[in-house]
Amino acid sequence: MTDDQRPDGQRSDGKDHRRPDGPIQPTRRQQLKPFEYLAFAGAAGVFVGFVVLLSMRDIVLALIFFGVAFIGTLLITATLMLAIKPKGRSAADLDKREGFEP
């Protein structure tokens, strides 16, 4: 049996060669993905709050609409991003690129 065929991933030199560089570190883009969702939802909330403030001249009502728009946009955006799969990519390929082990 050759070293590449051993089921335990060990080679004749005794080292584990399945993961030579340790755990996979997420990229900067992967780390900032939650911030992108929050920033988009915050911008939508500020826009809705600003429109309500200018039209109704009531700060409390503007804050309420800001909160509703922020939470609604955050939920809708996150749900849609979970449902979308990029073209031509399988789930295994996406997991590998995102740093998840099967």
Side-chain angles (χ1 to χ4, degrees), residues 1-44:
M1 184 180 290
T2 64
D3 289 337
D4 295 334
Q5 296 174 344
R6 290 183 62 174
D8 60 357
Q10 298 284 329
R11 291 181 124 177
S12 58
D13 57 1
K15 294 181 182 177
D16 187 2
H17 292 279
R18 286 179 290 184
R19 300 179 90 190
D21 56 345
I24 299 171
Q25 295 296 323
T27 63
R28 177 173 290 219
R29 182 179 176 99
Q30 292 169 345
Q31 290 176 346
L32 293 178
K33 186 67 93 172
F35 177 73
E36 291 174 5
Y37 298 148
L38 289 172
F40 180 70

Side-chain angles (χ1 to χ4, degrees), residues 31-102:
Q31 290 176 346
L32 293 178
K33 186 67 93 172
F35 177 73
E36 291 174 5
Y37 298 148
L38 289 172
F40 180 70
V46 166
F47 176 75
V48 170
F50 188 66
V51 168
V52 170
L53 181 65
L54 290 179
S55 62
M56 297 292 185
R57 306 274 187 204
D58 187 7
I59 294 176
V60 175
L61 191 61
L63 289 174
I64 291 170
F65 272 83
F66 164 77
V68 169
F70 176 76
I71 292 171
T73 305
L74 189 61
L75 287 173
I76 290 169
T77 306
T79 303
L80 288 175
M81 293 311 290
L82 285 173
I84 293 174
K85 180 176 79 167
K87 278 187 170 181
R89 300 268 174 93
S90 68
D93 183 42
L94 289 174
D95 286 343
K96 188 188 309 180
R97 289 185 58 101
E98 295 293 324
F100 297 110
E101 290 293 322

